[in-house]
Amino acid sequence: MAARKSARRFWLVRSEPDVYSIDDLARDGVTCWDGVRNYQARNTLRDDMSVGDGVLFYHSNAKPLAIVGVARVSRAGYPDHTAWDPKTKYHDPKSDPSSPTWYMVDIEFVARFDEPLCRDQLLDEPELAGMALLQKASRLSVQPVTPDEWSRVLKMAGARVKLG
DNA sequence: GCCAACGTTGGC
DNA sequence: GCCAACGTTGGC
């Protein structure tokens, strides 16, 4: 069988808007998604996210709790240098520069939803019942999203998105 | 502010 | 390698 181009994948990142909001991303255009210090999320950042992948942007610990927009991966996983910067709160002296523990990607602003797509609405949508974001278990700051969940969320938000 | 869920740590 | 203790996260 011929090799097939790998399909675009979809993700969700959560961020406290007090720290970094969709408006900050809209202003910056591109940002490095640094400071993730969880091994499972690290693996996703390092191994799984590819340029062009779609990213839902979720505001956590905020009012409203909501998916507020869309980004795309603009640079695949590379070492998170904030781990070696004692001046940042993400400093991790255990991370060895010759074998980095922590990784980040760059994400690029694509769109802000006209209205935040609130957690309540997501919880009310049966087709999203399996979404990682909505499981009590999940605290992951970077999570996978299925293609079905992706299109359902965009439909609910009334958003048309071109990831380029 | 509470507390359930979960990841990490460290003694054994 | 187990697991109890502890700290953190994040929705409520």
Side-chain angles (χ1 to χ4, degrees), chain A residues 49-164:
Chain A
M49 297 175 85
S50 307
V51 171
D53 283 359
V55 178
L56 298 173
F57 198 104
Y58 177 78
H59 280 173
S60 65
N61 253 324
K63 281 187 178 172
L65 294 168
I67 300 174
V68 290
V70 174
R72 72 188 280 278
V73 177
S74 61
R75 181 177 175 187
Y78 62 107
D80 180 348
H81 51 74
T82 64
W84 304 308
D85 184 349
K87 292 192 296 294
T88 74
K89 66 173 175 173
Y90 304 127
H91 182 224
D92 179 5
K94 293 196 296 294
S95 178
D96 173 0
S98 69
S99 174
T101 306
W102 305 115
Y103 280 71
M104 58 188 179
V105 299
D106 287 354
I107 64 171
E108 175 183 8
F109 178 79
V110 173
R112 174 174 32 204
F113 293 160
D114 293 335
E115 299 289 340
L117 183 52
C118 295
R119 185 179 182 87
D120 291 347
Q121 297 170 261
L122 301 172
L123 288 168
D124 280 346
E125 174 55 61
E127 294 198 34
L128 297 180
M131 201 174 178
L133 176 70
L134 305 178
Q135 309 312 306
K136 226 178 163 58
S138 178
R139 310 194 310 214
L140 273 180
S141 58
V142 181
Q143 352 179 313
V145 171
T146 69
D148 285 348
E149 290 163 353
W150 173 267
S151 39
R152 172 65 41 171
V153 164
L154 293 192
K155 192 172 180 184
M156 291 174 75
R160 286 183 168 268
V161 159
K162 199 145 187 349
L163 290 175

